[in-house]
Amino acid sequence: MTYYIYHIPGKKIGVTCDLNNRVTVQQGYDSSEYDVLESSEDIDYISSKEIELQREYGYKVDMVPYKNLKPKTKMNINITEQTTTFPCPVDKLKGQLFDNIGMNWETEHGRLDITPKTIDWIMKNVKTSMFNSNRSYVYNKAFARFYDNNDVFAKPTTTKCSKKPLKMFENIRQWADERGLYDKGDVKTQLIKLQEEMGELAKATLEDDHVEVVDAIGDMVVVLTNLAHLNNVNIETCIASAYNVISKRTGKMVNGTFVKDAD
């Protein structure tokens, strides 16, 4: 099992083995609103790293390490040749399933599992038992066929981000927020500001002025951070998204420029 340390900027750092359920479903943050700082199958490492990062970022440190949290009780299901029956009504099933992510069982049609993707299928196809309204079931054969064209075990793509830049971006956003830039600022004015800073960078580059080059690049990063925020996205997400694309590119250097291969 893979454990993820997730970061909701300005809110918290936590650990989960299911980002969609823990962060999106339960807390309401979509993938553009949080970052994955670390991932590992070593629960001891992840537990100590979570506390280390919580301290470094200035968040409340969990009193109980993740590895010591009490595990959830495995759901008691009933399996027959045709069906799998769950010990709860349909309106309470989704929560039970999310509490048992990773659980699996054998049927006449193969192994079935509880994953974020199979939960969606189960909730669309579950039926109430005719013998007991407090129980619900699915047909095993139909469930098994769902595996044929779906990557049931797909894991989220993660980009490992450096801790210090993330903290710096938070500082920039806090600085801008305190000065009313997000309340009164405008995307277009920030875009113009970025063009101005680009002009400063061009001038410093042509004059081989290293100090001004550093200053101009820093100013551009600040503007880009604010521009991203005004567009309801974190700059860390933009960078991670760009890296996920360029990391797969191939090509060659031509006259000092990297030219990517044609798709």
Side-chain angles (χ1 to χ4, degrees):
M1 180 179 294
T2 302
Y3 302 95
Y4 303 93
I5 297 180
Y6 63 91
H7 178 213
I8 304 172
K11 302 294 183 182
K12 67 178 292 187
I13 283 176
V15 172
T16 183
C17 57
D18 179 8
L19 290 166
N20 180 65
N21 176 43
R22 183 74 181 103
V23 188
T24 302
V25 176
Q26 294 184 12
Q27 300 182 59
Y29 294 94
D30 62 42
S31 59
S32 67
E33 296 179 294
Y34 68 88
D35 303 283
V36 175
L37 303 182
E38 296 274 356
S39 64
S40 174
E41 295 182 359
D42 185 342
I43 191 171
D44 292 323
Y45 168 77
I46 283 295
S47 295
S48 60
K49 194 67 176 179
E50 177 194 25
I51 293 175
E52 176 188 327
L53 291 173
Q54 286 172 338
R55 288 196 180 108
E56 181 168 340
Y57 281 82
Y59 294 121
K60 180 181 178 181
V61 176
D62 289 343
M63 297 297 292
V64 180
Y66 182 80
K67 66 179 181 179
N68 293 337
L69 293 176
K70 184 178 179 181
K72 296 180 175 65
T73 302
K74 187 174 181 180
M75 182 166 48
N76 185 23
I77 60 176
N78 182 52
I79 307 161
T80 67
E81 179 182 352
Q82 288 194 329
T83 64
T84 293
T85 301
F86 305 104
C88 61
V90 173
D91 61 352
K92 295 183 179 179
L93 178 59
K94 191 170 185 178
Q96 288 265 11
L97 294 172
F98 273 119
D99 284 345
N100 286 272
I101 290 274
M103 178 179 171
N104 61 74
W105 59 96
E106 295 294 333
T107 73
E108 295 284 331
H109 306 283
R111 194 185 80 170
L112 302 178
D113 307 78
I114 299 179
T115 75
K117 284 193 175 182
T118 61
I119 288 175
D120 288 338
W121 184 91
I122 291 171
M123 294 310 301
K124 290 177 182 176
N125 294 275
V126 67
K127 301 181 184 301
T128 299
S129 170
M130 62 168 42
F131 304 107
N132 187 340
S133 60
N134 288 320
R135 298 173 70 82
S136 52
Y137 70 94
V138 292
Y139 286 104
N140 296 332
K141 185 174 183 179
F143 193 174
R145 284 183 173 174
F146 171 70
Y147 285 63
D148 295 342
N149 299 310
N150 293 275
D151 191 354
V152 171
F153 301 101
K155 295 181 179 179
T157 300
T158 63
T159 299
K160 196 172 182 178
C161 301
S162 172
K163 302 186 293 298
K164 292 183 180 178
L166 283 168
K167 180 63 175 176
M168 185 58 68
F169 289 136
E170 284 189 35
N171 291 341
I172 293 171
R173 286 188 286 262
Q174 183 177 350
W175 170 87
D177 189 41
E178 290 173 350
R179 286 157 180 77
L181 193 148
Y182 297 146
D183 289 333
K184 301 178 182 178
D186 179 79
V187 173
K188 298 183 183 64
T189 59
Q190 287 299 302
L191 186 59
I192 294 172
K193 180 66 175 174
L194 182 62
Q195 292 173 325
E196 291 176 356
E197 299 299 345
M198 181 62 194
E200 293 293 328
L201 177 60
K203 181 175 180 292
T205 301
L206 292 173
E207 295 177 353
D208 197 22
D209 188 336
H210 179 72
V211 173
E212 288 301 319
V213 165
V214 172
D215 184 68
I217 291 175
D219 287 343
M220 290 175 68
V221 171
V222 170
V223 176
L224 284 169
T225 302
N226 294 330
L227 187 58
H229 187 88
L230 288 167
N231 277 287
N232 298 314
V233 65
N234 289 333
I235 191 171
E236 298 95 318
T237 301
C238 300
I239 295 171
S241 177
Y243 179 75
N244 283 337
V245 174
I246 66 173
S247 64
K248 300 176 180 65
R249 284 180 181 165
T250 58
K252 59 184 177 181
M253 292 297 295
V254 178
N255 297 325
T257 301
F258 180 79
V259 178
K260 69 176 181 178
D261 294 331
D263 294 333

